[in-house]
Each structure stands twice: as structure tokens, then as C-alpha cells.
Amino acid sequence: MITRSAAVAALRSEHFDLVVVGGGITGAGVALDAATRGYSVALVEKADYASGTSSRSSKLVHGGLRYLQNFDLGLVREALLERQLMVRLAPHLVRPLPFVVAAFDGARPDRMVGVGLNLYDAMARGGRGRQDGDWAPERHRVIGGDEVVELLPALAGRAPTSGYLFHDCQTDDSRLVLTVLAEAERFGAVCANRLAVTDLVDEGGRTSGVWVSDALTGEHFALRAANVVNATGVWADRLRPEELHDEAEVPRIRPSRGTHVVLARETLPLDAGAIVPAGNGRAIFALPWLGSTLIGTTDDEHDAEDLDHVLPADEDVAYLLDAVNAYFGSVIGRGDIAGAYAGVRPLISTGDPRKSVDISRKAELYETSSGMITITGGKLTTWRRMAKMTVDRLVEREARSAPCRTQDVPLGQAVDAADLPRVEGVPDDAYERLAGRYGHAAHEVLAVAAERGELAQPIVAGGPPDLLAEVAYAARREQANSVGDALLRRSRIALQAAREVADPDGATARRVAAAMAPAMGWDESETDAQARAFLDEAGAEGIVTSP
């Protein structure tokens, strides 16, 4: 990406066809879709890219088996089509993952689950939109207890007798956002973070841009654009709330809190995803993720006003650990948690108090009196469809001829880890991680690692193979403005080794800040301040859970 200063200079001086407010996956998708159709596009994000909901998901690109229970076949089918497409467009970022539903004590796998998987298979293998060479999952099948344990070693003590095996897909959500933004920029979009939109620019009752406040400089300016898309997700009704709430057809956003915990692989070893019963007919996931084990999610109404820093609630953490311990026969406590995070999803209120927050995961698009278009709701998997729906509205109202192209736009460029150049000091297990995170851009990260020996070393000694070169690269090329930007979203090590990176002695945070300092222009005093600021952010995010 271009530097933030260059992006801000362009935003201040140019006039755009469209400004997108919100740098999560939906906003990034709208920017890419519009830019590929020939619109001049600006995108602004008040905090960091993906810092809201889009870095706090379950990391799955999936159809959503549970939605079959609600007979929401359209949503499942749409998500399965997008899953197939994402594997083709971003094979390094969206990868197939086996899942197991185990059975115990001589019982056969639940027949109703099998019925649901049959329908899932049929919908996934439909022909519409399929191209030669597209990934298509094998049909689900029944496997024996030995194969269950091979895929889920943590279940060895419970001696499962059989299970269902099926496939979905997994991603690194914040890296997906950054990749989509980079592609949008390649098509001409100008993107900048730390720019908060305070209001719309009005001309004769119609919007002609947005007023922006720069969090880093304190400056305010008007960003001129013919159209405005509000893609701020759960924050959507905070931009011109009086305009949104005065219009009868606009649905209300109901935030839902989702909490996840991360464990070291040795604490709960998994080589496939597990569907874990969690009581009252609900289930959670236990997933292998980036060499760790990810547990989640909860689904609770969130009434707090602060949506920017959502702590993993004590009761949510207990709920997840209780479900995992009951299922795997483990004794995992809070002291075993390597990291934790929580976020809020923009679910749409149906107005029916009898319906739970699970019900509405559909996207909602609406246009209000100023001409602002708002897109909210939906889920990570369907981001491209949401973007298409939004830009289709723009094209329709402007009577343009500009069909959607994103179904054919690769997201980054995949690379084989074996083809990456070897750099002295870089651990062997880092190359696969770099290839999966950056694709071909891993060459650029490795060039940074080759500049001096320290940058080739892992951020946390003995921890995940995330390199100090990655945080330097994040500051130079990915608009990372803080240690938190680098450790929470460019790398994910703050979720996998939270106790180490957020240790109160600040040694790791100081080392990371020092690696970013040359690109950021920080002197020694500012470098120390940035390290301390990360420790404050880690506390506000609750990434370290108390034993």
C-alpha cells in the first residue's frame, strides 16, 4: 500500500466518485468492486483496518451448517458459492479444513446431522458459477474411531467410535482484509486509516462527501465525493443517526458479542475442526489455526456503548472452557489460555422478540434521504456479495453500464513456500507462514529480514514463527501506525502469545516499537511511549486472561 501520508494528501486534494466509510472486510470489498468498475474510490477507516469485527471472527469461510436448522437455504447456498470462489481467488489465504462430528460409546453418528450434511454437500456441489479446476469438497463420509483420533488427537482419551468427516474453509480474517485493500489500491483506490468521519458534507440536502478528522494530526478536512457508502458494520447507525432512525424502513442493528480463546497446540492438539456441543442445542468450534488451537464462539446480546474495545467476558470464557473440557475430557483452565479476543457482529433486528440473535445474518442495504447508502449485517464469507449488491445500487441509480468483475479478480498472488529465498536466521517453519500470509509479497518481507540479523528473528523467542521483519514491513508498506496494529492485525502473534507480548516488563513491545521506529520517525522517547501504549491497548482488549 502507499504510505498513509501520501494517501491523506490525495484524499485532501482530489474529488472522488465514491468515498467508502469503514475499513473492515465489507468496506474493503466495496472499494475493490467499485474501483474495478471504473469508479474513483476513497476509503477511510477511523481506527485501523479490520480492527473491528473483521479481525475478531471465527476465521471460517463456510456455508454455516447451523443456518440449515433455520431453513435459511438461500444464505447457506450463497455462502457456499462464495467459499468456492474464495479458494480460487485467494488459495494462499482461504484453505480447505476438514471437520469432524464425533460419536462415542458405540453410538452411530447422529442421523439428523447426516441429513444436514447431505443437503450441505448437494448445495456445495451445484453447478451454477463453477469453473473448471474450482475446488469442490469431497462428499461427507463416516469415518472410524481411529481416523477420528488421527484428526482430533485431543479426543484420544475418550475413545470415539466413529464420526462424520466433511470440509469447510479457513482464513486469517485481518490478512484477507489487507489483501482486498491492496487489490483495491492496485485498481486506483486511495485508502487511509486513522481518519474518523464526523459528518456528511451537504449540498442542497444531498451528500457530496464527508467531514474527516485525522487522529494522528488533529486536522479536519472535507473529503469530496459524489457518493457515500457507509460500511461501518455495527457502527453504521452512528453516522447521521437522526437521518437513519427517522426513516421507517431502516432496520435496527443489534450487536451480538462473540468471544474466542486461543490455546497452544500442545494444550489441545487438533488437525481438523471439531464441532463441540455446548448445551441447550448449541455448539462451538475447536479449530487448528496458525499452529495454535482456536475455541469459539459465544453469541450474546451486547448492550454496552463501547463497541471499540470489547473485553472477553468472564462468563463467556468459562462457557467455552466448560464446553471444551466436557467434550475432550480435558482439564483446561484460564492459566492455559494463550490469548483471547471478543468482538461484536452487526446482526439485524427483526423486531420479533421471539427470534434469537442467531436468526438474521443476512446483509441489509438501504439508502436514506441524503443519498448515503448503508450496507450492514452479513458475515465474513459473503463480503464480496455484499459489496456487489452495494455497487450495483450505485450503478443502477447512475444508469451506468458497469458489471461486477470481482468474481475474476485474484486476491494477491499465491506462492509456494519452497520457492521463497532462504535468508540467514529465518526459522524453517516461518516460510510456510509467510507464504500463507503474504503470498508473493513474502519476497518483500524476506528482503526486509535480510537487512540485518535481528529482523530475521521471531518476535517471541520459542513462540510462533512471526518475524520482527514483519512489523517493520507493516510500518513501511501496510500503514501500521502502532505496535497494536502490527501485533494484533498484521501479525496475529498478540492472540497466540498474549502473555509474552503483553508482559508488563514491556521488553517485547519495546523491541517491536524499535523495529517500526525508522519507518515511523519515532525517536527513543516516542518508541518507549508506543511500547507503553500497546500494553494499555492489550489491557483494554483483554487479550490476556487472568488465571
Coordinates of all heavy atoms in Angstrom, one line a residue, residues 186-216:
R186 N -4.6 -1.3 -6.1 CA -4.0 -1.6 -7.4 C -4.9 -1.1 -8.6 O -4.4 -0.7 -9.6 CB -3.8 -3.1 -7.5 CG -3.0 -3.6 -8.8 CD -2.6 -5.0 -8.7 NE -3.7 -5.9 -8.7 CZ -4.2 -6.5 -9.8 NH1 -3.7 -6.1 -11.0 NH2 -5.2 -7.3 -9.7
F187 N -6.2 -1.1 -8.3 CA -7.2 -0.6 -9.3 C -7.4 0.9 -9.1 O -8.4 1.5 -9.7 CB -8.5 -1.4 -9.2 CG -8.4 -2.7 -9.9 CD1 -8.0 -3.8 -9.2 CD2 -8.6 -2.8 -11.3 CE1 -7.9 -5.1 -9.8 CE2 -8.5 -4.1 -11.9 CZ -8.2 -5.2 -11.2
G188 N -6.7 1.6 -8.3 CA -6.8 3.1 -8.2 C -7.4 3.6 -6.9 O -7.4 4.8 -6.7
A189 N -7.9 2.8 -6.0 CA -8.5 3.3 -4.8 C -7.4 3.9 -3.9 O -6.3 3.5 -3.9 CB -9.2 2.2 -4.0
V190 N -7.8 4.9 -3.2 CA -6.9 5.6 -2.2 C -7.5 5.3 -0.8 O -8.6 5.7 -0.5 CB -6.8 7.1 -2.4 CG1 -5.9 7.8 -1.4 CG2 -6.4 7.4 -3.9
C191 N -6.7 4.7 0.0 CA -7.1 4.2 1.4 C -6.3 4.8 2.4 O -5.0 4.8 2.3 CB -7.1 2.7 1.4 SG -7.9 1.8 0.1
A192 N -6.9 5.2 3.6 CA -6.1 5.7 4.7 C -6.9 5.3 6.0 O -8.1 5.4 6.1 CB -5.9 7.2 4.6
N193 N -6.1 4.9 7.0 CA -6.7 4.7 8.3 C -6.5 5.8 9.2 O -5.9 6.8 8.9 CB -6.1 3.3 8.9 CG -4.6 3.3 8.9 OD1 -3.9 4.3 8.7 ND2 -4.1 2.1 9.2
R194 N -7.0 5.7 10.5 CA -6.9 6.8 11.5 C -7.6 8.1 11.0 O -7.2 9.2 11.4 CB -5.5 7.1 11.9 CG -4.7 5.8 12.3 CD -5.2 5.2 13.6 NE -4.5 3.9 13.8 CZ -4.8 3.1 14.8 NH1 -5.8 3.4 15.6 NH2 -4.2 2.0 15.0
L195 N -8.6 7.9 10.2 CA -9.4 9.1 9.7 C -10.9 8.8 10.1 O -11.5 7.9 9.5 CB -9.3 9.3 8.2 CG -7.9 9.7 7.7 CD1 -8.0 9.7 6.1 CD2 -7.5 11.0 8.2
A196 N -11.4 9.6 11.0 CA -12.7 9.4 11.5 C -13.7 10.3 10.8 O -13.4 11.5 10.7 CB -12.8 9.7 13.0
V197 N -14.8 9.8 10.3 CA -15.8 10.6 9.6 C -16.7 11.1 10.7 O -17.3 10.4 11.5 CB -16.6 9.8 8.6 CG1 -17.8 10.5 8.1 CG2 -15.6 9.4 7.4
T198 N -16.8 12.5 10.7 CA -17.6 13.1 11.8 C -19.0 13.5 11.3 O -20.0 13.7 12.1 CB -16.9 14.4 12.3 OG1 -16.6 15.3 11.2 CG2 -15.6 14.0 13.0
D199 N -19.2 13.7 10.0 CA -20.5 14.1 9.4 C -20.4 14.0 7.9 O -19.3 13.8 7.3 CB -20.9 15.5 9.8 CG -22.4 15.7 9.8 OD1 -23.1 14.8 9.2 OD2 -22.8 16.8 10.2
L200 N -21.5 14.2 7.2 CA -21.6 14.2 5.8 C -21.4 15.7 5.4 O -21.8 16.6 6.1 CB -22.9 13.7 5.3 CG -23.3 12.3 5.7 CD1 -24.6 11.9 5.0 CD2 -22.2 11.3 5.3
V201 N -20.9 15.9 4.2 CA -20.9 17.2 3.5 C -22.2 17.4 2.8 O -22.5 16.5 1.9 CB -19.7 17.4 2.6 CG1 -19.7 18.7 1.9 CG2 -18.4 17.2 3.4
D202 N -23.0 18.4 3.1 CA -24.3 18.5 2.4 C -24.2 19.6 1.4 O -23.6 20.7 1.6 CB -25.3 18.9 3.5 CG -25.9 17.8 4.2 OD1 -25.9 16.7 3.7 OD2 -26.2 17.9 5.4
E203 N -24.9 19.4 0.3 CA -25.1 20.4 -0.7 C -26.5 20.2 -1.2 O -26.9 19.3 -1.9 CB -24.1 20.3 -1.9 CG -22.7 20.7 -1.5 CD -21.8 20.7 -2.7 OE1 -22.2 20.3 -3.8 OE2 -20.6 20.9 -2.5
G204 N -27.4 21.2 -0.8 CA -28.8 21.1 -1.2 C -29.5 19.9 -0.7 O -30.4 19.3 -1.4
G205 N -29.1 19.4 0.5 CA -29.8 18.2 1.1 C -29.3 16.9 0.6 O -29.7 15.9 1.1
R206 N -28.3 16.9 -0.3 CA -27.7 15.7 -0.7 C -26.2 15.7 -0.4 O -25.6 16.7 -0.3 CB -27.8 15.6 -2.3 CG -29.2 15.5 -2.8 CD -30.0 14.2 -2.4 NE -29.5 13.1 -3.2 CZ -29.9 11.9 -3.1 NH1 -30.9 11.6 -2.2 NH2 -29.5 10.9 -3.9
T207 N -25.7 14.5 -0.1 CA -24.4 14.4 0.4 C -23.4 14.6 -0.8 O -23.7 14.1 -1.9 CB -24.1 13.0 1.0 OG1 -22.7 13.0 1.4 CG2 -24.3 11.9 0.1
S208 N -22.3 15.3 -0.5 CA -21.3 15.4 -1.6 C -19.9 15.1 -1.0 O -18.9 15.7 -1.4 CB -21.3 16.9 -2.1 OG -21.1 17.8 -1.1
G209 N -19.9 14.3 0.0 CA -18.6 13.9 0.7 C -18.8 13.8 2.2 O -19.9 13.7 2.7
V210 N -17.6 13.7 2.9 CA -17.7 13.6 4.3 C -16.7 14.5 5.0 O -15.6 14.9 4.4 CB -17.3 12.1 4.7 CG1 -18.4 11.1 4.2 CG2 -16.0 11.6 4.1
W211 N -17.0 14.9 6.2 CA -16.0 15.6 7.0 C -15.2 14.6 7.8 O -15.7 13.7 8.4 CB -16.7 16.5 8.0 CG -17.4 17.7 7.3 CD1 -18.7 17.9 7.0 CD2 -16.7 18.9 6.8 NE1 -18.9 19.1 6.4 CE2 -17.7 19.7 6.3 CE3 -15.4 19.3 6.8 CZ2 -17.4 20.9 5.7 CZ3 -15.0 20.5 6.3 CH2 -16.0 21.3 5.7
V212 N -13.9 14.8 7.8 CA -12.9 13.8 8.3 C -12.0 14.5 9.4 O -11.6 15.6 9.2 CB -12.0 13.3 7.2 CG1 -10.9 12.4 7.7 CG2 -12.8 12.5 6.2
S213 N -11.8 13.7 10.4 CA -10.9 14.2 11.5 C -9.7 13.2 11.5 O -9.9 12.0 11.6 CB -11.6 14.2 12.8 OG -10.7 14.5 13.9
D214 N -8.5 13.7 11.4 CA -7.3 12.9 11.4 C -6.8 12.7 12.8 O -6.4 13.6 13.5 CB -6.2 13.6 10.6 CG -4.9 12.8 10.3 OD1 -4.6 11.9 11.2 OD2 -4.3 12.9 9.2
A215 N -6.8 11.4 13.2 CA -6.5 11.1 14.6 C -5.0 11.3 14.9 O -4.6 11.5 16.1 CB -6.9 9.6 14.9
L216 N -4.2 11.3 13.9 CA -2.7 11.4 14.1 C -2.3 12.9 14.1 O -1.3 13.2 14.8 CB -1.9 10.6 13.1 CG -2.2 9.1 13.0 CD1 -1.2 8.5 12.0 CD2 -2.1 8.5 14.4

